[in-house]
Coordinates of all heavy atoms in Angstrom, one line a residue:
L317 N 1.1 8.2 -5.5 CA 1.4 7.1 -6.4 C 2.9 6.6 -6.4 O 3.2 5.5 -6.6 CB 1.1 7.5 -7.9 CG -0.3 7.8 -8.2 CD1 -0.4 8.4 -9.6 CD2 -1.1 6.5 -8.1
L318 N 3.8 7.6 -6.0 CA 5.2 7.3 -6.0 C 5.8 6.8 -4.7 O 6.9 6.4 -4.7 CB 6.0 8.6 -6.3 CG 5.9 9.2 -7.7 CD1 6.8 10.3 -7.9 CD2 6.3 8.1 -8.7
G319 N 5.0 6.9 -3.7 CA 5.5 6.5 -2.4 C 5.3 7.4 -1.2 O 5.9 7.3 -0.1
G320 N 4.4 8.4 -1.4 CA 4.0 9.2 -0.3 C 4.6 10.6 -0.1 O 5.4 11.1 -0.9
A321 N 4.4 11.1 1.1 CA 4.8 12.5 1.5 C 6.3 12.6 1.8 O 6.8 13.7 1.8 CB 4.0 13.0 2.6
G322 N 6.9 11.5 2.0 CA 8.3 11.6 2.6 C 9.4 11.6 1.6 O 10.6 11.6 1.9
L323 N 9.1 11.6 0.3 CA 10.2 11.4 -0.7 C 10.5 12.6 -1.5 O 11.7 12.9 -1.7 CB 9.7 10.3 -1.7 CG 9.8 8.8 -1.3 CD1 9.3 7.9 -2.4 CD2 11.3 8.5 -1.0
L324 N 9.5 13.3 -2.1 CA 9.9 14.3 -3.1 C 10.0 15.7 -2.6 O 9.4 16.0 -1.6 CB 8.8 14.3 -4.2 CG 8.6 12.9 -4.9 CD1 7.5 13.1 -6.0 CD2 9.9 12.4 -5.5
A325 N 10.8 16.5 -3.3 CA 11.0 17.9 -2.9 C 10.4 18.8 -3.9 O 10.3 18.5 -5.1 CB 12.5 18.2 -2.8
G326 N 9.9 20.0 -3.5 CA 9.4 21.0 -4.4 C 10.2 22.3 -4.3 O 10.9 22.5 -3.4
K327 N 10.0 23.1 -5.4 CA 10.7 24.4 -5.5 C 9.7 25.5 -5.7 O 8.8 25.4 -6.5 CB 11.7 24.3 -6.7 CG 12.7 23.2 -6.6 CD 13.2 22.9 -8.0 CE 13.7 21.5 -8.1 NZ 13.9 21.0 -9.5
N328 N 9.9 26.6 -5.0 CA 9.1 27.8 -5.2 C 10.0 28.9 -5.8 O 10.9 29.3 -5.1 CB 8.5 28.2 -3.8 CG 7.7 27.1 -3.2 OD1 6.6 26.8 -3.6 ND2 8.3 26.5 -2.2
Y329 N 9.6 29.3 -7.0 CA 10.5 30.3 -7.7 C 9.7 31.6 -7.9 O 8.5 31.6 -8.2 CB 10.8 29.8 -9.1 CG 11.8 28.6 -9.2 CD1 11.4 27.4 -9.8 CD2 13.1 28.8 -8.7 CE1 12.3 26.4 -9.9 CE2 14.0 27.7 -8.8 CZ 13.6 26.5 -9.4 OH 14.5 25.5 -9.5
G330 N 10.5 32.6 -7.7 CA 10.0 33.9 -8.2 C 11.1 34.5 -9.1 O 12.1 33.7 -9.4
D331 N 11.1 35.7 -9.5 CA 12.2 36.2 -10.3 C 13.5 36.5 -9.4 O 14.5 36.7 -10.0 CB 11.8 37.5 -11.0 CG 10.8 37.2 -12.1 OD1 10.9 36.1 -12.7 OD2 10.0 38.1 -12.5
H332 N 13.3 36.6 -8.1 CA 14.4 37.0 -7.3 C 14.8 36.0 -6.1 O 15.9 36.0 -5.7 CB 14.1 38.4 -6.6 CG 13.8 39.4 -7.6 ND1 14.7 39.9 -8.5 CD2 12.6 40.0 -8.0 CE1 14.2 40.8 -9.3 NE2 12.9 40.8 -9.0
Y333 N 13.8 35.2 -5.7 CA 14.0 34.4 -4.5 C 13.6 33.0 -4.8 O 12.7 32.8 -5.6 CB 13.3 35.0 -3.3 CG 13.5 36.4 -3.1 CD1 12.5 37.3 -3.4 CD2 14.8 36.9 -2.7 CE1 12.7 38.7 -3.3 CE2 15.0 38.3 -2.6 CZ 14.0 39.2 -2.9 OH 14.2 40.5 -2.8
T334 N 14.1 32.0 -4.0 CA 13.7 30.6 -4.2 C 13.6 30.0 -2.8 O 14.5 30.1 -2.0 CB 14.8 29.9 -5.0 OG1 15.1 30.7 -6.2 CG2 14.2 28.5 -5.5
I335 N 12.5 29.2 -2.7 CA 12.4 28.4 -1.4 C 12.3 27.0 -1.8 O 11.5 26.6 -2.6 CB 11.1 28.9 -0.6 CG1 11.3 30.3 -0.1 CG2 10.9 28.0 0.6 CD1 10.2 30.8 0.7
F336 N 13.1 26.1 -1.1 CA 13.0 24.7 -1.3 C 12.4 24.1 -0.1 O 12.6 24.5 1.0 CB 14.5 24.2 -1.4 CG 15.2 24.8 -2.6 CD1 15.9 26.0 -2.5 CD2 15.1 24.2 -3.9 CE1 16.5 26.6 -3.6 CE2 15.7 24.8 -5.0 CZ 16.4 26.0 -4.9
E337 N 11.5 23.1 -0.4 CA 10.8 22.4 0.7 C 10.3 21.0 0.3 O 10.3 20.7 -0.9 CB 9.6 23.3 1.1 CG 8.5 23.4 0.0 CD 7.4 24.4 0.3 OE1 7.2 24.8 1.5 OE2 6.7 24.7 -0.6
P338 N 9.8 20.2 1.2 CA 9.3 18.9 0.8 C 8.1 19.2 -0.1 O 7.3 20.1 0.1 CB 8.8 18.3 2.2 CG 9.8 18.9 3.2 CD 10.0 20.3 2.7
G339 N 7.9 18.3 -1.1 CA 6.9 18.5 -2.1 C 5.5 18.7 -1.7 O 4.7 19.5 -2.3
T340 N 5.0 17.9 -0.7 CA 3.6 18.0 -0.3 C 3.4 18.9 0.9 O 2.3 18.9 1.5 CB 3.0 16.6 -0.1 OG1 3.9 15.8 0.7 CG2 2.8 15.9 -1.4
R341 N 4.4 19.6 1.4 CA 4.3 20.6 2.4 C 3.6 20.1 3.7 O 2.7 20.8 4.2 CB 3.5 21.8 1.9 CG 4.2 22.5 0.7 CD 3.3 23.5 0.1 NE 4.0 24.3 -0.9 CZ 3.5 25.1 -1.8 NH1 2.2 25.3 -1.8 NH2 4.2 25.8 -2.7
N342 N 4.0 19.0 4.2 CA 3.3 18.4 5.4 C 3.9 18.9 6.7 O 5.1 19.2 6.7 CB 3.4 16.9 5.4 CG 2.8 16.3 4.1 OD1 3.5 15.9 3.2 ND2 1.5 16.4 4.0
T343 N 3.1 18.9 7.7 CA 3.6 19.3 9.0 C 4.0 18.0 9.7 O 5.0 18.0 10.4 CB 2.5 20.0 9.8 OG1 1.9 21.0 9.0 CG2 3.1 20.6 11.1
G344 N 3.3 16.9 9.6 CA 3.6 15.7 10.2 C 3.5 15.7 11.7 O 4.4 15.1 12.4
T345 N 2.6 16.4 12.2 CA 2.5 16.6 13.7 C 2.4 15.3 14.4 O 3.1 15.1 15.5 CB 1.2 17.4 14.0 OG1 1.2 18.5 13.2 CG2 1.2 17.9 15.5
S346 N 1.6 14.3 13.9 CA 1.4 13.1 14.6 C 2.7 12.2 14.7 O 2.8 11.3 15.5 CB 0.2 12.3 14.1 OG 0.5 12.1 12.7
I347 N 3.6 12.4 13.7 CA 4.8 11.5 13.7 C 6.1 12.3 14.2 O 7.1 11.7 14.3 CB 5.1 11.0 12.3 CG1 5.2 12.1 11.3 CG2 4.0 10.0 11.9 CD1 5.8 11.6 9.9
A348 N 5.9 13.5 14.7 CA 7.0 14.3 15.1 C 7.7 13.7 16.4 O 7.0 13.2 17.3 CB 6.6 15.7 15.4
G349 N 9.0 13.8 16.5 CA 9.7 13.4 17.7 C 9.8 11.9 17.9 O 10.2 11.5 19.0
K350 N 9.4 11.1 16.9 CA 9.3 9.6 17.1 C 10.4 8.9 16.4 O 10.4 7.6 16.4 CB 7.9 9.1 16.7 CG 6.8 9.6 17.6 CD 5.5 9.1 17.1 CE 4.4 9.5 18.1 NZ 3.1 9.3 17.5
N351 N 11.3 9.6 15.7 CA 12.3 8.9 14.9 C 11.7 8.0 13.8 O 12.3 7.0 13.5 CB 13.2 8.1 15.9 CG 14.5 7.7 15.3 OD1 14.9 8.2 14.2 ND2 15.2 6.7 15.8
I352 N 10.6 8.4 13.3 CA 10.0 7.6 12.2 C 9.7 8.4 10.9 O 9.5 7.8 9.9 CB 8.7 6.9 12.7 CG1 7.6 8.0 13.1 CG2 8.9 5.9 13.7 CD1 6.3 7.4 13.4
A353 N 9.9 9.7 11.0 CA 9.6 10.5 9.8 C 10.6 10.2 8.7 O 11.8 9.9 9.0 CB 9.7 12.0 10.1
N354 N 10.2 10.2 7.5 CA 11.1 9.9 6.4 C 11.9 11.2 6.1 O 11.4 12.2 5.8 CB 10.3 9.6 5.1 CG 11.2 9.0 4.0 OD1 12.4 9.3 4.0 ND2 10.6 8.3 3.1
P355 N 13.3 11.1 6.2 CA 14.1 12.4 6.1 C 14.3 12.7 4.6 O 14.9 13.8 4.3 CB 15.4 12.0 6.8 CG 15.5 10.5 6.7 CD 14.1 10.0 6.6
I356 N 13.9 11.8 3.7 CA 14.4 12.0 2.3 C 13.9 13.2 1.6 O 14.6 13.9 0.9 CB 14.0 10.7 1.5 CG1 14.6 9.4 2.1 CG2 14.3 10.9 0.0 CD1 16.1 9.4 2.0
A357 N 12.6 13.6 1.8 CA 12.0 14.7 1.1 C 12.8 16.0 1.4 O 13.1 16.8 0.5 CB 10.5 14.9 1.4
M358 N 13.1 16.2 2.7 CA 13.8 17.4 3.1 C 15.2 17.4 2.6 O 15.8 18.4 2.1 CB 13.7 17.6 4.6 CG 14.3 19.0 5.0 SD 13.3 20.4 4.5 CE 12.0 20.4 5.8
L359 N 15.8 16.2 2.6 CA 17.2 16.1 2.1 C 17.2 16.3 0.5 O 18.2 16.9 0.0 CB 17.8 14.7 2.4 CG 18.1 14.5 3.9 CD1 18.5 13.0 4.2 CD2 19.3 15.4 4.3
N360 N 16.2 15.8 -0.1 CA 16.1 16.1 -1.6 C 15.9 17.6 -1.8 O 16.5 18.2 -2.8 CB 15.0 15.4 -2.2 CG 15.3 13.9 -2.6 OD1 16.5 13.7 -2.9 ND2 14.4 13.0 -2.7
A361 N 15.2 18.3 -1.0 CA 15.0 19.7 -1.1 C 16.4 20.4 -0.9 O 16.7 21.4 -1.6 CB 14.0 20.2 -0.1
A362 N 17.1 19.9 0.0 CA 18.5 20.5 0.3 C 19.4 20.2 -0.9 O 20.2 21.1 -1.2 CB 19.0 19.8 1.6
V363 N 19.3 19.1 -1.5 CA 20.1 18.8 -2.7 C 19.7 19.8 -3.9 O 20.6 20.3 -4.6 CB 20.0 17.3 -3.2 CG1 20.6 17.1 -4.6 CG2 20.6 16.4 -2.2
D364 N 18.4 19.9 -4.1 CA 18.0 20.9 -5.1 C 18.6 22.3 -4.8 O 19.0 23.0 -5.7 CB 16.4 21.0 -5.1 CG 15.7 19.8 -5.6 OD1 16.4 19.0 -6.3 OD2 14.5 19.6 -5.4
M365 N 18.6 22.6 -3.6 CA 19.1 23.9 -3.2 C 20.6 24.0 -3.5 O 21.1 25.0 -4.0 CB 18.9 24.1 -1.7 CG 19.3 25.5 -1.2 SD 19.3 25.5 0.6 CE 20.9 24.8 1.0
L366 N 21.3 23.0 -3.3 CA 22.8 23.0 -3.6 C 23.0 23.1 -5.1 O 23.9 23.9 -5.5 CB 23.4 21.7 -3.1 CG 23.6 21.5 -1.6 CD1 24.2 20.2 -1.3 CD2 24.4 22.7 -1.0
R367 N 22.2 22.5 -5.9 CA 22.3 22.6 -7.4 C 22.0 24.0 -7.8 O 22.7 24.6 -8.6 CB 21.2 21.7 -8.1 CG 21.6 20.3 -8.1 CD 21.3 19.6 -9.4 NE 22.0 18.3 -9.4 CZ 21.4 17.2 -8.8 NH1 20.3 17.3 -8.2 NH2 22.1 16.1 -8.7
H368 N 21.0 24.6 -7.2 CA 20.6 26.0 -7.5 C 21.7 27.0 -7.1 O 22.0 27.9 -7.9 CB 19.4 26.3 -6.6 CG 18.9 27.8 -6.7 ND1 18.2 28.3 -7.8 CD2 19.1 28.8 -5.9 CE1 18.0 29.5 -7.6 NE2 18.5 29.9 -6.4
L369 N 22.4 26.7 -6.0 CA 23.5 27.6 -5.6 C 24.8 27.3 -6.4 O 25.8 28.0 -6.2 CB 23.8 27.4 -4.1 CG 22.7 27.8 -3.2 CD1 23.0 27.4 -1.7 CD2 22.5 29.3 -3.2
G370 N 24.8 26.2 -7.2 CA 26.0 25.9 -8.0 C 27.0 25.0 -7.3 O 28.1 24.8 -7.8
H371 N 26.6 24.4 -6.2 CA 27.4 23.4 -5.5 C 27.2 22.0 -6.1 O 26.6 21.1 -5.4 CB 27.2 23.4 -4.0 CG 27.6 24.7 -3.3 ND1 28.8 25.3 -3.4 CD2 26.8 25.6 -2.6 CE1 28.9 26.4 -2.7 NE2 27.7 26.7 -2.3
K372 N 27.5 21.9 -7.3 CA 27.1 20.7 -8.1 C 27.8 19.4 -7.5 O 27.1 18.4 -7.4 CB 27.6 20.9 -9.5 CG 27.0 20.0 -10.5 CD 27.5 20.3 -11.9 CE 27.4 19.1 -12.8 NZ 28.2 19.3 -14.0
H373 N 29.0 19.5 -7.2 CA 29.7 18.4 -6.7 C 29.1 17.8 -5.4 O 28.8 16.6 -5.3 CB 31.2 18.7 -6.4 CG 32.0 17.6 -5.8 ND1 32.3 16.5 -6.4 CD2 32.3 17.4 -4.5 CE1 32.9 15.6 -5.6 NE2 33.0 16.2 -4.4
H374 N 28.8 18.7 -4.4 CA 28.2 18.3 -3.2 C 26.8 17.7 -3.4 O 26.4 16.8 -2.8 CB 28.1 19.5 -2.2 CG 29.5 19.9 -1.7 ND1 30.2 20.9 -2.3 CD2 30.3 19.5 -0.7 CE1 31.3 21.1 -1.7 NE2 31.4 20.2 -0.7
A375 N 26.1 18.4 -4.4 CA 24.8 17.9 -4.7 C 24.8 16.5 -5.2 O 24.0 15.6 -4.8 CB 24.1 18.8 -5.7
I376 N 25.7 16.2 -6.1 CA 25.8 14.8 -6.7 C 26.2 13.8 -5.6 O 25.6 12.7 -5.5 CB 26.9 14.8 -7.8 CG1 26.3 15.6 -9.0 CG2 27.2 13.4 -8.2 CD1 27.3 15.9 -10.1
V377 N 27.1 14.1 -4.8 CA 27.6 13.2 -3.7 C 26.4 12.8 -2.8 O 26.1 11.7 -2.5 CB 28.7 13.8 -2.9 CG1 29.0 13.0 -1.6 CG2 30.0 13.8 -3.7
I378 N 25.7 13.9 -2.4 CA 24.5 13.6 -1.4 C 23.4 12.9 -2.2 O 22.8 12.0 -1.6 CB 24.1 14.9 -0.8 CG1 25.2 15.5 0.1 CG2 22.9 14.7 0.1 CD1 25.0 16.9 0.6
Q379 N 23.1 13.3 -3.4 CA 22.1 12.7 -4.2 C 22.3 11.2 -4.4 O 21.5 10.4 -4.2 CB 21.9 13.4 -5.5 CG 20.7 12.9 -6.4 CD 19.4 13.4 -5.7 OE1 19.0 14.5 -5.9 NE2 18.8 12.5 -5.0
N380 N 23.6 10.9 -4.7 CA 23.9 9.5 -4.9 C 23.7 8.7 -3.6 O 23.3 7.5 -3.6 CB 25.4 9.3 -5.4 CG 25.5 9.7 -6.8 OD1 24.5 9.9 -7.6 ND2 26.7 10.0 -7.3
A381 N 24.1 9.3 -2.5 CA 24.0 8.6 -1.2 C 22.5 8.4 -0.9 O 22.2 7.3 -0.4 CB 24.7 9.4 -0.1
I382 N 21.7 9.3 -1.2 CA 20.2 9.2 -1.0 C 19.7 8.1 -1.8 O 19.0 7.2 -1.4 CB 19.5 10.5 -1.3 CG1 19.9 11.6 -0.3 CG2 18.0 10.3 -1.3 CD1 19.3 13.0 -0.6
N383 N 20.0 8.1 -3.1 CA 19.5 7.1 -4.1 C 19.9 5.7 -3.7 O 19.1 4.8 -3.7 CB 19.9 7.4 -5.5 CG 19.3 8.7 -6.0 OD1 18.4 9.3 -5.3 ND2 19.7 9.2 -7.1
K384 N 21.2 5.6 -3.3 CA 21.7 4.2 -2.9 C 20.9 3.7 -1.7 O 20.5 2.6 -1.6 CB 23.2 4.3 -2.6 CG 24.0 4.3 -3.9 CD 25.5 4.1 -3.6 CE 26.3 4.1 -4.9 NZ 27.4 5.0 -4.9
T385 N 20.7 4.6 -0.7 CA 20.0 4.2 0.5 C 18.6 3.8 0.2 O 18.1 2.7 0.7 CB 20.0 5.4 1.5 OG1 21.4 5.7 1.8 CG2 19.3 5.1 2.7
I386 N 17.9 4.5 -0.7 CA 16.5 4.2 -1.0 C 16.5 2.9 -1.8 O 15.7 2.0 -1.5 CB 15.8 5.3 -1.8 CG1 15.7 6.6 -1.0 CG2 14.4 4.8 -2.2 CD1 15.1 7.7 -1.8
N387 N 17.4 2.8 -2.8 CA 17.3 1.6 -3.7 C 17.8 0.4 -3.0 O 17.5 -0.7 -3.5 CB 17.9 2.0 -5.0 CG 17.1 3.0 -5.8 OD1 15.9 3.1 -5.6 ND2 17.7 3.8 -6.5
Q388 N 18.6 0.5 -1.9 CA 19.0 -0.7 -1.1 C 17.9 -1.1 -0.2 O 18.1 -2.2 0.5 CB 20.2 -0.3 -0.2 CG 21.5 -0.4 -0.9 CD 22.6 0.1 0.0 OE1 22.3 0.7 1.1 NE2 23.8 -0.1 -0.4
G389 N 16.8 -0.4 -0.1 CA 15.7 -0.8 0.7 C 15.8 -0.4 2.2 O 15.1 -0.9 3.0

Side-chain angles (χ1 to χ4, degrees):
L317 292 174
L318 288 188
L323 281 178
L324 302 182
K327 303 159 205 164
N328 303 283
Y329 290 120
D331 287 335
H332 306 289
Y333 313 107
T334 313
I335 296 184
F336 298 88
E337 66 185 345
T340 46
R341 298 173 173 167
N342 304 104
T343 313
T345 313
S346 58
I347 58 169
K350 294 181 177 165
N351 194 17
I352 56 174
N354 192 339
I356 302 293
M358 190 65 85
L359 288 168
N360 275 333
V363 167
D364 287 344
M365 186 190 83
L366 290 180
R367 286 223 167 78
H368 174 80
L369 293 171
H371 295 302
K372 195 176 155 198
H373 173 75
H374 293 94
I376 290 170
V377 168
I378 298 172
Q379 187 69 77
N380 287 344
I382 291 172
N383 293 352
K384 281 189 179 131
T385 299
I386 298 176
N387 293 329
Q388 272 173 353

